[in-house]
Amino acid sequence: MPLGVTMSSAGSNVWVGILPSACRLQGFRRVFSGKTLLLSARHIMKRVRVWLWLGIFVLGIGFFTLCFLMTSLGGQFSAKRLGDSPFTIRTEVMGAVESRGVLRRMSDMLEMLMKRMDILARLENSTDFHKGDEARFPLDRFQPAAGLMERIQAIAQNVSDIAIKVDQILRNSLLNGKVVEGRRDQCEVPRDPKYPDCAGKVEWMRARWTSDPCYAFFGVDGTECSFLIYLSEVEWFCPPLPWRNRTAAQPSPPPLPQVQAAFRNDFAHLLDLIGTGKESLSFMKKRIRHLAQQWLRAARRLKQKLKGRQRDQKHILIHIGFLTEESGDVFSPRVLKGGPLGEMVQWADILAALFLLGHSLRVTVSLKDLQSHLGVPPGRGNCPLTNPLPFDLIYTDYHGLQQMKQHMGLSFKKYRCRVRVIDTFGTEPAYNHEEYATLRGYRTNWGYWNLQPTQFMTMFPHTPDNSFMGFVSEELNKTERQFIKSNKVSSMAVVYGKEASIWKGKEKFLAILNKYMEIHGTVYYETQRPPEVPAFVKNHGLLAQTEVYEVARGFAPLQLFIGFGFPYEGPAPLEAIANGCVFLQARFNPPHSSLNHEFFRGKPTSREVSSQHPYAEDFIGKPHVWTVDYNNSEEFEAAIKTIMRTQVDPYLPYEYTCEGMLERIHAYIQHQDFCTTLSPPLPPKAKSPAMQSPPSPLALSPNATHLVWSPSASRDPHAWPPVDSLQVWVSETQHACTETCRQRGLVCEPTFFRFLNKKEVFLQLSITCDSTEYEMNHLYPAVAENVHECYLQKEPLLFSCAGYNTKYRRLCPCRDYRKGQVALCRDCL
């Protein structure tokens, strides 16, 4: 019989024996000589408490003995590898002397218990419980006590036997393991210049290896050798131990043949992958179903464009961090109550695009599922993953990024190049670089990740420093477009704002608008109409997405979609414009930014927002978009009169169609590689003729206004975007590179900064440099012309299209772009 079984059984039987005795004493009526005797309640409860406490104590002794045996002997019966048993650590801590001592003390306690039980029995015989008729029944009352004492004696004997066996096992263990343990304790920390951090990491492990159970999971047991094995085989701070060559992990098997991606023709499997249980997930699935036919038509068109080009299928994890319970998930409960839907619109479209392109997806909205898919070891997240990351790409958000960092240990740094962060408002390089952000005051709660800035993917093309992900708006077919044109009237407006707070203080504008148009609202409320919405407004309550489409398509003819300054940069204005409406919005003077507006405070961007929807203002404009000063009643009223006389057709930028988004994501997956580092020219450590930088591949344009890629310079066929699209312009002192390129019908391309970051480029542009310095500044390369000082970028992560200073004129790398697709150059597809 295994050790401890007899003891455990004895403890259980004691418990079973005690309870019937207690039950018989409670309220039972005893009959003697024709009389009915009801036992005193006070004495009954006293008796019950005695037996219960004795039973609990004996059961506790049995349980403690079992736990002790598992703890002491677990290492003996564990798997071959240290750490496979949760009790291995205790084996190292508790030695033979301590183990035998504990068992002896347990045996002494049980012997003392038997003596006190005997005393208790003699005392009971002399109490007032034995007066009168009841005295004739002592055996009935004390029979359980006799059985209890027998069981305690059996447990004591078991403990004594166990002590002897433990002593034998520990002696044999110490003898047999003497050589191995001696070897394990005799490891010395290697002094290898290739591993300069090894000694420091070993010192840390000595003090902190018990701080996270994951170290024991990987076999760390407190010995020097276990530290070195972990730091050389699990982490990579120490060199491999020579004597571990035989037991070192086998090299990973060669990768399986790459599967080719094929366009899919239905969404059934994707809808299953998304899952259920949240209103946000239901919303996304409904959106995917609603746009399914448009997605499928777009996929067929893109397939024809690619002409059978081979595409590797990627294994992609989509972790929507803001929907996890750990992040609070404030969105799901508000889906049906007027809450923001923009993020869920974008995620639904990302899922649809990745799935249609033929990639293998896994979707998670819980931390537990994330840990399972990543292979996170048990513990607090300080150790690397148990296996190589099984995903080529991970799409997540800031919440998911934080969760991955907390649970991936060093693997996060190793694999972060595979991450794509869906970031609504964007992250500028100055906020992304941890050291620079800390030193220069750009640190926020959302920045300092030290990623490549183009790993952040935005809802709108705010700055080319980030990649533009976008979303899609529904396209009208010819029949729908004709229906809107023939049925539209110029006397109906809908206010952009589902929350009552947006309407507060807007009575003046609404009164002017009411003179010309019938005003409709879609403000959410449960029982009473919100007082912020004037009585002359026809409020429909919160409309479902499909109902909004119906209103915008002429079932209730609509001319104007009007915004009151919030929410910023949502999808609704594009949807309205795509359905033939004019969008009227407020101009902000001064522009809103993190410096003067609470909404942007803490966001990792210095971008100045000049209107509620800058994309609509800059990329679409009149006649579809009107941006006016709402503080000027005359300008506001004049704009309404003009809009009423204006006929506009439905319009949707190509980059917000299903085909445009598929095209863009396909290009990113095929060409963006952040794991293969492109080494930009670095500053020489010393100035000498032998350390001259290579000649610039740029040449002056025919009109001598800017630089272009030299026809004689070599071209990397794998470079993306292709270098032929590069143009180098010099900004004005108050212009960022984003604005400088846009003024010339181009877009700033941050990946080209590495070609500009050379002293020769200043000379080619006829810029005089009395001195040239390498410094860490997100505005460099640049020139301070008043003092003829030139500056080159020291930190490649700080190359930035955003930002300006009145002191500097910046060198700006610009490129062309496809019509309606600002994210891609003409030859980028």
Coordinates of all heavy atoms in Angstrom, one line a residue, residues 57-125:
F57 N -9.1 17.7 14.5 CA -7.6 17.6 14.8 C -7.0 16.4 14.1 O -5.9 16.5 13.5 CB -7.4 17.6 16.3 CG -6.0 17.5 16.7 CD1 -5.2 18.6 16.7 CD2 -5.4 16.3 17.1 CE1 -3.8 18.5 17.0 CE2 -4.1 16.2 17.5 CZ -3.3 17.3 17.4
V58 N -7.6 15.2 14.3 CA -7.1 14.0 13.8 C -7.0 14.1 12.2 O -6.0 13.7 11.6 CB -7.9 12.8 14.2 CG1 -7.4 11.5 13.5 CG2 -7.7 12.6 15.7
L59 N -8.1 14.6 11.6 CA -8.1 14.7 10.2 C -7.0 15.6 9.7 O -6.3 15.4 8.7 CB -9.5 15.2 9.7 CG -9.7 15.3 8.2 CD1 -9.6 13.9 7.6 CD2 -11.0 15.9 7.9
G60 N -6.8 16.7 10.5 CA -5.7 17.7 10.1 C -4.4 17.0 10.2 O -3.5 17.3 9.3
I61 N -4.2 16.2 11.3 CA -2.9 15.5 11.4 C -2.7 14.6 10.2 O -1.6 14.6 9.6 CB -2.9 14.7 12.7 CG1 -2.7 15.6 13.9 CG2 -1.7 13.7 12.7 CD1 -1.4 16.3 14.0
G62 N -3.7 13.9 9.8 CA -3.6 13.0 8.6 C -3.3 13.8 7.3 O -2.4 13.4 6.6
F63 N -4.0 14.9 7.1 CA -3.8 15.7 5.9 C -2.4 16.3 5.9 O -1.7 16.3 4.9 CB -4.8 16.8 5.8 CG -4.7 17.7 4.6 CD1 -5.0 17.2 3.4 CD2 -4.2 19.0 4.8 CE1 -4.9 18.0 2.3 CE2 -4.1 19.8 3.7 CZ -4.4 19.3 2.4
F64 N -1.9 16.8 7.1 CA -0.6 17.4 7.1 C 0.5 16.4 6.8 O 1.5 16.6 6.1 CB -0.4 18.0 8.5 CG 1.0 18.6 8.7 CD1 1.4 19.8 8.1 CD2 2.0 17.9 9.4 CE1 2.6 20.3 8.3 CE2 3.2 18.4 9.6 CZ 3.6 19.6 9.0
T65 N 0.3 15.1 7.4 CA 1.2 14.1 7.1 C 1.3 13.8 5.6 O 2.4 13.6 5.0 CB 0.8 12.8 7.9 OG1 0.7 13.1 9.3 CG2 1.9 11.7 7.7
L66 N 0.2 13.7 5.0 CA 0.1 13.4 3.5 C 0.9 14.5 2.8 O 1.7 14.2 1.9 CB -1.3 13.3 3.0 CG -1.5 13.1 1.5 CD1 -0.9 11.7 1.1 CD2 -3.0 13.1 1.2
C67 N 0.6 15.8 3.1 CA 1.2 16.9 2.4 C 2.7 16.9 2.6 O 3.5 17.1 1.7 CB 0.6 18.2 2.9 SG -1.1 18.5 2.4
F68 N 3.1 16.5 3.9 CA 4.5 16.5 4.2 C 5.2 15.4 3.4 O 6.3 15.7 2.8 CB 4.7 16.2 5.7 CG 6.2 15.9 6.1 CD1 7.0 16.9 6.2 CD2 6.6 14.6 6.2 CE1 8.4 16.7 6.6 CE2 7.9 14.3 6.5 CZ 8.8 15.4 6.7
L69 N 4.6 14.3 3.2 CA 5.2 13.2 2.4 C 5.3 13.6 1.0 O 6.4 13.4 0.3 CB 4.4 11.9 2.6 CG 4.5 11.2 4.0 CD1 3.5 10.1 4.0 CD2 5.9 10.7 4.2
M70 N 4.3 14.2 0.5 CA 4.4 14.6 -0.9 C 5.5 15.7 -1.1 O 6.2 15.7 -2.1 CB 3.0 15.2 -1.4 CG 1.9 14.2 -1.4 SD 0.3 15.0 -1.7 CE 0.6 15.5 -3.4
T71 N 5.6 16.6 -0.1 CA 6.6 17.6 -0.2 C 8.0 17.1 -0.1 O 8.9 17.4 -0.9 CB 6.4 18.7 0.9 OG1 5.1 19.2 0.7 CG2 7.4 19.8 0.8
S72 N 8.2 16.1 0.8 CA 9.5 15.6 1.1 C 10.0 14.6 0.1 O 11.1 14.6 -0.3 CB 9.6 15.0 2.5 OG 9.3 15.9 3.5
L73 N 9.0 13.8 -0.4 CA 9.4 12.7 -1.3 C 9.1 13.0 -2.8 O 9.3 12.2 -3.6 CB 8.7 11.4 -0.9 CG 8.9 11.0 0.6 CD1 8.2 9.7 0.9 CD2 10.4 10.8 0.8
G74 N 8.4 14.2 -3.0 CA 8.0 14.4 -4.4 C 9.2 14.4 -5.4 O 9.1 13.9 -6.5
G75 N 10.3 14.9 -4.9 CA 11.5 14.9 -5.8 C 12.0 13.5 -6.1 O 12.5 13.2 -7.2
Q76 N 11.7 12.5 -5.2 CA 12.2 11.2 -5.4 C 11.3 10.5 -6.5 O 11.8 9.6 -7.2 CB 12.1 10.4 -4.1 CG 12.9 11.0 -3.0 CD 14.4 11.1 -3.3 OE1 14.9 10.2 -4.0 NE2 15.0 12.1 -2.9
F77 N 10.0 10.8 -6.5 CA 9.1 10.2 -7.5 C 8.8 11.1 -8.7 O 7.9 10.8 -9.4 CB 7.8 9.8 -6.8 CG 8.0 9.0 -5.5 CD1 7.6 9.4 -4.3 CD2 8.6 7.7 -5.7 CE1 7.9 8.6 -3.2 CE2 8.9 7.0 -4.5 CZ 8.5 7.4 -3.3
S78 N 9.5 12.2 -8.8 CA 9.2 13.1 -9.9 C 9.8 12.6 -11.2 O 10.4 11.6 -11.3 CB 9.9 14.5 -9.6 OG 11.3 14.3 -9.6
A79 N 9.4 13.3 -12.3 CA 10.0 13.0 -13.6 C 11.5 13.2 -13.6 O 12.1 13.8 -12.7 CB 9.3 13.8 -14.7
K80 N 12.1 12.8 -14.7 CA 13.6 12.9 -14.8 C 14.0 14.3 -14.7 O 15.1 14.6 -14.1 CB 14.0 12.3 -16.1 CG 13.8 10.8 -16.1 CD 14.3 10.2 -17.4 CE 14.1 8.7 -17.5 NZ 14.6 8.1 -18.7
R81 N 13.3 15.3 -15.3 CA 13.8 16.6 -15.3 C 13.4 17.4 -14.1 O 12.3 17.3 -13.7 CB 13.2 17.3 -16.6 CG 14.0 18.6 -16.9 CD 13.3 19.3 -18.1 NE 12.1 20.0 -17.6 CZ 11.4 20.8 -18.4 NH1 11.8 21.0 -19.6 NH2 10.3 21.4 -18.0
L82 N 14.3 18.1 -13.6 CA 14.0 19.0 -12.4 C 13.0 20.0 -12.9 O 13.0 20.5 -13.9 CB 15.3 19.7 -12.0 CG 16.2 18.9 -11.2 CD1 17.5 19.6 -11.0 CD2 15.7 18.4 -9.9
G83 N 12.0 20.2 -12.0 CA 11.0 21.2 -12.3 C 9.7 20.6 -12.8 O 8.7 21.2 -12.8
D84 N 9.8 19.3 -13.2 CA 8.6 18.6 -13.7 C 7.6 18.4 -12.5 O 6.4 18.2 -12.7 CB 8.9 17.3 -14.4 CG 9.5 17.6 -15.7 OD1 9.4 18.7 -16.2 OD2 10.0 16.6 -16.3
S85 N 8.1 18.3 -11.3 CA 7.3 18.1 -10.1 C 7.2 19.4 -9.3 O 8.2 20.0 -9.1 CB 7.9 17.0 -9.2 OG 7.2 17.0 -8.0
P86 N 6.0 19.8 -8.9 CA 5.9 21.0 -8.1 C 6.5 20.9 -6.8 O 6.7 21.9 -6.0 CB 4.4 21.2 -8.0 CG 3.8 19.8 -8.2 CD 4.7 19.1 -9.1
F87 N 7.0 19.6 -6.4 CA 7.5 19.5 -5.0 C 9.0 19.4 -5.1 O 9.7 19.2 -4.0 CB 7.0 18.2 -4.4 CG 5.5 18.1 -4.5 CD1 4.9 17.2 -5.3 CD2 4.7 18.9 -3.7 CE1 3.5 17.1 -5.4 CE2 3.3 18.8 -3.8 CZ 2.7 17.9 -4.7
T88 N 9.6 19.5 -6.2 CA 11.1 19.4 -6.3 C 11.8 20.4 -5.5 O 12.8 20.1 -4.9 CB 11.5 19.5 -7.8 OG1 10.8 18.5 -8.5 CG2 13.0 19.2 -8.0
I89 N 11.3 21.6 -5.5 CA 12.0 22.7 -4.8 C 12.1 22.4 -3.3 O 13.1 22.6 -2.6 CB 11.2 24.0 -5.0 CG1 11.2 24.3 -6.5 CG2 11.9 25.2 -4.2 CD1 10.3 25.5 -6.8
R90 N 11.0 21.8 -2.7 CA 11.0 21.5 -1.3 C 12.0 20.4 -1.0 O 12.6 20.4 0.1 CB 9.6 21.0 -0.9 CG 8.5 22.0 -1.0 CD 8.7 23.2 0.0 NE 8.7 22.6 1.3 CZ 9.1 23.3 2.4 NH1 9.6 24.5 2.2 NH2 9.1 22.8 3.6
T91 N 12.3 19.5 -1.9 CA 13.3 18.5 -1.6 C 14.7 19.2 -1.4 O 15.5 18.7 -0.6 CB 13.4 17.5 -2.8 OG1 12.1 17.0 -3.1 CG2 14.3 16.4 -2.6
E92 N 14.9 20.2 -2.2 CA 16.2 20.9 -2.0 C 16.3 21.7 -0.7 O 17.3 21.8 -0.1 CB 16.4 21.9 -3.2 CG 16.4 21.2 -4.5 CD 17.5 20.2 -4.7 OE1 18.5 20.4 -4.0 OE2 17.4 19.3 -5.5
V93 N 15.1 22.2 -0.2 CA 15.1 23.0 0.9 C 15.1 22.2 2.2 O 15.8 22.5 3.2 CB 13.9 23.9 0.9 CG1 13.8 24.7 2.2 CG2 13.9 24.8 -0.3
M94 N 14.3 21.1 2.3 CA 14.2 20.3 3.5 C 15.1 19.1 3.4 O 15.0 18.2 2.6 CB 12.7 19.8 3.6 CG 12.5 19.1 5.0 SD 10.7 18.8 5.2 CE 10.2 20.4 5.6
G95 N 16.1 19.0 4.3 CA 17.0 17.9 4.3 C 16.6 16.7 5.1 O 15.5 16.7 5.7
A96 N 17.4 15.7 5.3 CA 17.1 14.5 6.0 C 16.8 14.8 7.5 O 15.9 14.2 8.1 CB 18.2 13.4 5.8
V97 N 17.7 15.6 8.1 CA 17.5 15.8 9.5 C 16.2 16.5 9.8 O 15.4 16.1 10.7 CB 18.7 16.7 10.0 CG1 18.5 17.1 11.5 CG2 20.0 16.0 9.8
E98 N 15.9 17.5 9.0 CA 14.6 18.2 9.2 C 13.4 17.3 9.0 O 12.4 17.4 9.7 CB 14.5 19.4 8.3 CG 15.5 20.6 8.6 CD 16.8 20.3 7.9 OE1 17.1 19.2 7.5 OE2 17.6 21.3 7.7
S99 N 13.5 16.4 7.9 CA 12.4 15.6 7.6 C 12.1 14.6 8.8 O 11.0 14.4 9.2 CB 12.7 14.8 6.4 OG 12.9 15.6 5.3
R100 N 13.2 14.0 9.3 CA 13.0 13.0 10.4 C 12.5 13.7 11.7 O 11.7 13.2 12.4 CB 14.3 12.3 10.7 CG 14.7 11.3 9.6 CD 15.9 10.4 10.1 NE 17.1 11.2 10.2 CZ 18.0 11.4 9.2 NH1 17.8 10.9 8.0 NH2 19.1 12.1 9.4
G101 N 13.0 14.9 11.9 CA 12.6 15.7 13.1 C 11.1 16.0 13.0 O 10.4 15.9 14.0
V102 N 10.6 16.4 11.9 CA 9.2 16.7 11.8 C 8.3 15.5 12.0 O 7.3 15.5 12.7 CB 8.9 17.3 10.4 CG1 7.4 17.4 10.2 CG2 9.5 18.7 10.2
L103 N 8.7 14.3 11.5 CA 8.0 13.1 11.7 C 8.0 12.7 13.1 O 6.9 12.2 13.6 CB 8.5 12.0 10.8 CG 8.2 12.2 9.3 CD1 9.0 11.2 8.5 CD2 6.8 12.0 9.0
R104 N 9.1 12.9 13.8 CA 9.1 12.5 15.2 C 8.2 13.4 16.0 O 7.5 12.9 16.9 CB 10.6 12.6 15.8 CG 11.5 11.6 15.3 CD 12.8 11.5 16.1 NE 13.8 10.7 15.5 CZ 14.8 11.1 14.7 NH1 14.9 12.4 14.5 NH2 15.6 10.2 14.2
R105 N 8.2 14.7 15.7 CA 7.3 15.6 16.4 C 5.8 15.2 16.2 O 5.0 15.3 17.1 CB 7.6 17.0 16.0 CG 8.9 17.6 16.6 CD 9.0 19.1 16.4 NE 9.1 19.5 15.0 CZ 10.3 19.6 14.4 NH1 11.4 19.3 15.0 NH2 10.3 20.0 13.1
M106 N 5.5 14.8 15.0 CA 4.1 14.4 14.7 C 3.8 13.2 15.5 O 2.7 13.1 16.1 CB 4.0 14.1 13.2 CG 4.0 15.4 12.4 SD 4.1 15.0 10.6 CE 2.6 14.0 10.4
S107 N 4.7 12.2 15.6 CA 4.4 11.0 16.4 C 4.2 11.4 17.9 O 3.4 10.8 18.6 CB 5.6 10.0 16.2 OG 5.4 8.9 17.0
D108 N 5.1 12.3 18.4 CA 4.9 12.7 19.8 C 3.6 13.4 20.1 O 3.0 13.2 21.1 CB 6.1 13.6 20.2 CG 7.4 12.9 20.2 OD1 7.4 11.7 20.2 OD2 8.5 13.6 20.1
M109 N 3.2 14.2 19.1 CA 1.9 14.9 19.3 C 0.7 13.9 19.4 O -0.2 14.0 20.2 CB 1.7 15.8 18.1 CG 2.6 17.1 18.1 SD 2.5 18.0 16.6 CE 0.8 18.5 16.7
L110 N 0.8 12.8 18.5 CA -0.3 11.8 18.5 C -0.3 11.0 19.8 O -1.3 10.7 20.4 CB -0.1 10.9 17.3 CG -0.4 11.5 16.0 CD1 0.0 10.6 14.8 CD2 -1.9 11.8 15.8
E111 N 0.9 10.7 20.3 CA 1.0 10.0 21.6 C 0.4 10.8 22.7 O -0.3 10.4 23.6 CB 2.5 9.7 21.9 CG 2.6 8.8 23.1 CD 4.1 8.3 23.3 OE1 4.9 8.6 22.4 OE2 4.4 7.8 24.4
M112 N 0.7 12.2 22.8 CA 0.2 13.1 23.7 C -1.3 13.1 23.6 O -2.1 13.2 24.6 CB 0.8 14.4 23.6 CG 0.3 15.5 24.6 SD 0.7 15.0 26.3 CE 2.5 15.3 26.2
L113 N -1.8 13.1 22.4 CA -3.3 13.1 22.2 C -4.0 11.9 22.8 O -5.0 12.0 23.4 CB -3.6 13.2 20.7 CG -5.1 13.2 20.3 CD1 -5.8 14.4 20.8 CD2 -5.2 13.1 18.8
M114 N -3.4 10.7 22.7 CA -3.9 9.5 23.2 C -4.0 9.6 24.7 O -5.0 9.2 25.4 CB -3.1 8.3 22.8 CG -3.3 7.9 21.3 SD -2.6 6.4 20.9 CE -0.8 6.8 21.1
K115 N -2.9 10.1 25.4 CA -2.9 10.2 26.8 C -4.1 11.1 27.3 O -4.8 10.9 28.3 CB -1.6 10.8 27.3 CG -0.4 9.8 27.1 CD 0.9 10.4 27.6 CE 2.0 9.4 27.4 NZ 3.3 10.0 27.8
R116 N -4.3 12.3 26.6 CA -5.3 13.2 27.0 C -6.7 12.6 26.7 O -7.6 12.9 27.5 CB -5.1 14.5 26.2 CG -3.8 15.2 26.7 CD -3.7 16.6 26.0 NE -2.5 17.3 26.5 CZ -2.2 18.5 26.2 NH1 -2.9 19.2 25.3 NH2 -1.1 19.0 26.6
M117 N -6.8 11.8 25.7 CA -8.1 11.2 25.5 C -8.4 10.2 26.6 O -9.6 10.1 27.0 CB -8.0 10.4 24.1 CG -8.1 11.3 22.9 SD -9.8 11.9 22.6 CE -10.6 10.3 22.2
D118 N -7.4 9.5 27.1 CA -7.6 8.6 28.2 C -8.1 9.3 29.5 O -9.0 8.9 30.2 CB -6.4 7.8 28.5 CG -6.6 6.7 29.5 OD1 -7.4 5.8 29.3 OD2 -5.9 6.8 30.6
I119 N -7.4 10.5 29.7 CA -7.8 11.3 30.9 C -9.2 11.8 30.7 O -10.0 11.8 31.7 CB -6.8 12.5 31.0 CG1 -5.4 11.9 31.4 CG2 -7.3 13.4 32.1 CD1 -4.4 13.0 31.4
L120 N -9.6 12.2 29.5 CA -10.9 12.7 29.2 C -12.0 11.7 29.5 O -13.0 11.9 30.1 CB -11.0 13.2 27.8 CG -12.4 13.8 27.4 CD1 -12.7 15.0 28.2 CD2 -12.3 14.2 25.9
A121 N -11.6 10.4 29.1 CA -12.6 9.3 29.3 C -12.9 9.1 30.8 O -14.0 8.9 31.2 CB -12.1 8.1 28.6
R122 N -11.8 9.1 31.6 CA -12.0 8.9 33.1 C -12.8 10.0 33.7 O -13.6 9.8 34.6 CB -10.6 8.7 33.7 CG -9.9 7.4 33.4 CD -8.8 7.1 34.3 NE -7.7 8.1 34.2 CZ -6.7 8.1 33.4 NH1 -6.6 7.0 32.6 NH2 -5.8 9.0 33.4
L123 N -12.5 11.3 33.2 CA -13.2 12.4 33.8 C -14.7 12.4 33.4 O -15.6 12.7 34.2 CB -12.6 13.7 33.2 CG -11.2 14.1 33.8 CD1 -10.7 15.3 33.1 CD2 -11.3 14.3 35.3
E124 N -15.0 11.9 32.2 CA -16.4 11.8 31.8 C -17.2 10.9 32.6 O -18.4 11.1 32.9 CB -16.4 11.4 30.3 CG -16.0 12.4 29.3 CD -17.2 13.4 29.0 OE1 -18.3 13.2 29.5 OE2 -16.9 14.4 28.3
N125 N -16.5 9.8 33.1 CA -17.3 8.8 33.9 C -17.7 9.4 35.3 O -18.6 8.8 35.9 CB -16.4 7.6 34.2 CG -16.2 6.7 33.0 OD1 -17.2 6.6 32.2 ND2 -15.1 6.1 32.8

